[in-house]
Amino acid sequence: QVQLVESGGGSVQAGGSLILSCTASQRLHYWGWFRQVPGKEREWVAALSTGSDKPNYANPVKGRFTITIDIPKNTAHLLMQSLEPEDTATYYCAAGTRGQYRPPDPADYDYWALGTQVTVSS
């Protein structure tokens, strides 16, 4: 069973930065980050496959967040800059091994981490 372990959440003031990391127990083909606020649906944030150098980002984070993959370490990172209070959420990394996937669709991800809290204060 593949396990994903997240780290790096925390609290920061608006305008600050945080980096989230997610390590898998085996190599995976693509990675995504999602976030969720209580009472709302899970929202896709970013995605990248190991065979591509073109990440995908949701509009609210485009230009502020950067997703990268360290293939030898089976680890994905999400660098979050210029954070806003609206970015406050529980962040989940997800990953999969399918031949094709739709980055924003949580159903296309096979493995999920437990989530880490990110709180941005104004």
Side-chain angles (χ1 to χ4, degrees):
Q1 181 71 15
V2 176
Q3 292 186 327
L4 301 183
V5 179
E6 278 185 286
S7 62
S11 298
V12 66
Q13 289 192 326
S17 300
L18 281 174
I19 185 165
L20 305 181
S21 299
C22 185
T23 299
S25 53
Q26 69 180 54
R27 180 167 177 170
L28 300 165
H29 295 177
Y30 51 89
W31 296 77
W33 291 91
F34 292 75
R35 64 187 182 185
Q36 190 168 22
V37 175
K40 293 189 176 181
E41 290 189 356
R42 191 165 295 189
E43 175 189 25
W44 170 70
V45 174
L48 179 64
S49 68
T50 57
S52 171
D53 60 355
K54 297 181 179 179
N56 295 278
Y57 297 101
N59 286 335
V61 307
K62 202 171 291 185
R64 299 187 298 121
F65 289 14
T66 303
I67 182 173
T68 56
I69 301 172
D70 185 334
I71 296 175
K73 295 184 177 179
N74 296 330
T75 298
H77 303 285
L78 184 68
L79 171 62
M80 304 183 293
Q81 299 173 295
S82 302
L83 283 162
E84 304 167 351
E86 293 74 22
D87 295 316
T88 296
T90 300
Y91 283 72
Y92 299 88
C93 78
T97 57
R98 307 179 196 191
Q100 292 183 336
Y101 78 112
R102 292 156 293 188
D105 191 346
D108 280 358
Y109 294 82
D110 303 307
Y111 311 106
W112 291 82
L114 295 178
T116 187
Q117 179 66 33
V118 171
T119 301
V120 184
S121 58
S122 57

